[in-house]
Amino acid sequence: FPVTIGEFKEKRDRAEDAVCGVRGAIRHGVLPGGGWGLLRVISELLRENDPILDQVLCLALYEPVHTLFKNAGIHQEEESLIVKYIQDCPPSKTLVYDILENELVDPFEGGVLDSTPAVLEAIRNSISIAALLGTLGGLVVFKRDLEFERSEARDTAAWERDANWNPADERA
């Protein structure tokens, strides 16, 4: 079954990201994974009691963590319980959520680690988004229509499957 150019590029980009993540971890070290670093930054920012930080920056910092849980199929209620437990842990006891094992573990024993440069880049991107929102004064956004996106993906897959079909090939 042939691989399309888009699929090939996606796989290549994923492999390249993995290699860069390992190189960054070797050069600059690792942090506990599963969004632990982002959750700790959020916890510190919430202590400031600044509504702009709470409504803009904390939400931008939380988005990668939310996406991680969403991709794993974890529902919002369970996600909020796990995040609250991780945030309430004392700094001396580091626990992260191992999605594959569905349990809280020590990051080094469980092997749930993030490359430090990757976490720093997530923080930089969140600050950039928050700064953009602060300078614009507002945005017009549309909620994603997941059903529409799925139907578009199905239609595209059907078109790609049928694009090479030639009625002349069916004649005997």
Side-chain angles (χ1 to χ4, degrees), residues 38 115-127:
L38 297 174
S115 168
T116 301
V119 175
L120 289 173
E121 189 62 27
I123 292 171
R124 283 187 196 108
N125 288 340
S126 297
I127 291 171

Side-chain angles (χ1 to χ4, degrees), residues 85-118:
Y85 189 81
I86 291 171
Q87 286 179 323
D88 290 345
C89 274
S92 60
K93 183 176 183 180
T94 303
L95 290 177
V96 297
Y97 186 70
D98 185 347
I99 288 177
L100 294 177
E101 300 296 326
N102 196 25
E103 63 184 1
L104 289 165
V105 297
D106 177 83
F108 291 95
E109 290 176 11
V112 183
L113 303 168
D114 284 337
S115 168
T116 301

Side-chain angles (χ1 to χ4, degrees), residues 46-64:
L46 289 174
R47 290 186 186 150
E48 296 293 322
N49 292 325
D50 183 342
I52 294 175
L53 288 177
D54 296 350
Q55 295 173 6
V56 179
L57 186 56
C58 289
L59 291 177
L61 286 166
Y62 186 71
E63 191 59 31

Side-chain angles (χ1 to χ4, degrees), residues 99-163:
I99 288 177
L100 294 177
E101 300 296 326
N102 196 25
E103 63 184 1
L104 289 165
V105 297
D106 177 83
F108 291 95
E109 290 176 11
V112 183
L113 303 168
D114 284 337
S115 168
T116 301
V119 175
L120 289 173
E121 189 62 27
I123 292 171
R124 283 187 196 108
N125 288 340
S126 297
I127 291 171
S128 174
I129 291 166
L132 184 63
L133 283 171
T135 57
L136 291 176
L139 290 174
V140 176
V141 295
F142 298 98
K143 187 173 179 167
R144 292 181 76 170
D145 185 353
L146 297 177
E147 187 55 41
F148 174 74
E149 290 179 11
R150 286 187 195 108
S151 70
E152 287 289 310
R154 281 192 297 269
D155 293 345
T156 301
W159 183 84
E160 287 177 350
R161 182 182 58 244
D162 298 336

